[in-house]
Amino acid sequence: MQKKIFTLLTVSILGTLPLAAATLTTRTAPETDGCLIDTDNDGIVDKATAVKTDGEAREAISGKLWKQNRKAVFEFPLPALEKPVKKATLKLCLNGKFGCHPERAGASGPETDLYYYLAPEADGKIELVDDNGTKLSTALPGKPVENVRKAVSIDVTRAVQEASRAKSAWIGFRLEAAANAAAGSGWRWRTADFAEANGKQFAPTLIIVTE
């Protein structure tokens, strides 16, 4: 599947100023998505799978399940950012009726942290070296979501600003269970392959606003 970067130029009028301030909104799909897996739960990731390449199910799971620690990964190409980044948002959709394993009412995935990493580790491929980077924020608390149909929107402004300053052509985001999270649950994230088959509204998207 060919990934595309879409841009939208919007103009806002600030008070009674004679000039308009233009903002550029860029929406980018991931080049690849999938999982890093610690298959024997020894604290070391030893398997990398990409949904499109390796024929995985059309979702990426993050959490401590099946005596494994699985980390969902999304890598995005970055457009040429000629102006400062004002705002950046990572939009992801959960899968299933409740968005998690176990799939039952009242269940949830674990408290989940979001990490980011830049080139050269971020390069459009999911590899073991992607298990690195900087913790950005808590992506989801360890409690049931109120509405699985509502996209999860995470502020990633600081990460994209750093990528812009470093002139990184790529940025990767990794979702993983917090270190103190209990085993036995995971979040189910819809991937670009899922969106291709079921509707573009489900696509993982990096939204960048510059001005």
Side-chain angles (χ1 to χ4, degrees):
M1 178 178 65
Q2 183 179 6
K3 311 297 181 186
K4 296 182 179 180
I5 297 175
F6 300 92
T7 60
L8 174 66
L9 181 67
T10 59
V11 176
S12 58
I13 304 299
L14 303 178
T16 58
L17 293 177
L19 297 178
T23 62
L24 184 67
T25 300
T26 304
R27 297 174 181 269
T28 306
E31 177 68 21
T32 189
D33 43 29
C35 285
L36 295 176
I37 309 172
D38 174 2
T39 60
D40 53 9
N41 206 24
D42 66 352
I44 301 173
V45 166
D46 51 38
K47 184 177 181 181
T49 61
V51 170
K52 191 73 174 180
T53 303
D54 299 318
E56 291 281 288
R58 290 173 171 161
E59 63 179 17
I61 297 174
S62 61
K64 300 175 181 179
L65 283 167
W66 313 304
K67 297 183 179 180
Q68 300 176 345
N69 188 2
R70 301 176 70 98
K71 307 177 183 185
V73 178
F74 300 84
E75 288 200 4
F76 295 84
L78 285 174
L81 300 173
E82 298 179 355
K83 295 185 177 180
V85 175
K86 179 181 179 182
K87 178 77 172 177
T89 305
L90 177 63
K91 188 197 76 151
L92 300 171
C93 293
L94 292 168
N95 196 21
K97 189 174 181 180
F98 304 105
C100 64
H101 281 299
E103 184 79 338
R104 63 170 182 264
S108 79
E111 179 180 337
T112 299
D113 294 329
L114 178 70
Y115 290 76
Y116 70 94
Y117 55 98
L118 310 179
E121 289 80 13
D123 58 1
K125 302 174 184 177
I126 297 181
E127 301 167 310
L128 298 182
V129 293
D130 298 337
D131 191 32
N132 68 82
T134 303
K135 180 180 174 181
L136 184 63
S137 65
T138 298
L140 279 177
K143 64 179 183 181
V145 294
E146 295 181 3
N147 184 355
V148 75
R149 295 180 181 274
K150 184 178 179 180
V152 177
S153 294
I154 310 169
D155 186 341
V156 294
T157 304
R158 179 164 61 89
V160 176
Q161 286 174 338
E162 181 180 328
S164 179
R165 288 192 298 268
K167 301 188 182 303
S168 177
W170 298 88
I171 189 168
F173 294 102
R174 189 178 71 256
L175 296 124
E176 62 181 76
N180 60 351
S185 67
W187 294 110
R188 302 170 59 190
W189 304 97
R190 289 175 172 172
T191 63
D193 202 40
F194 182 100
E196 184 179 18
N198 297 283
K200 62 182 181 180
Q201 70 271 26
F202 302 122
T205 308
L206 178 60
I207 305 167
I208 304 172
V209 179
T210 59
E211 65 175 6

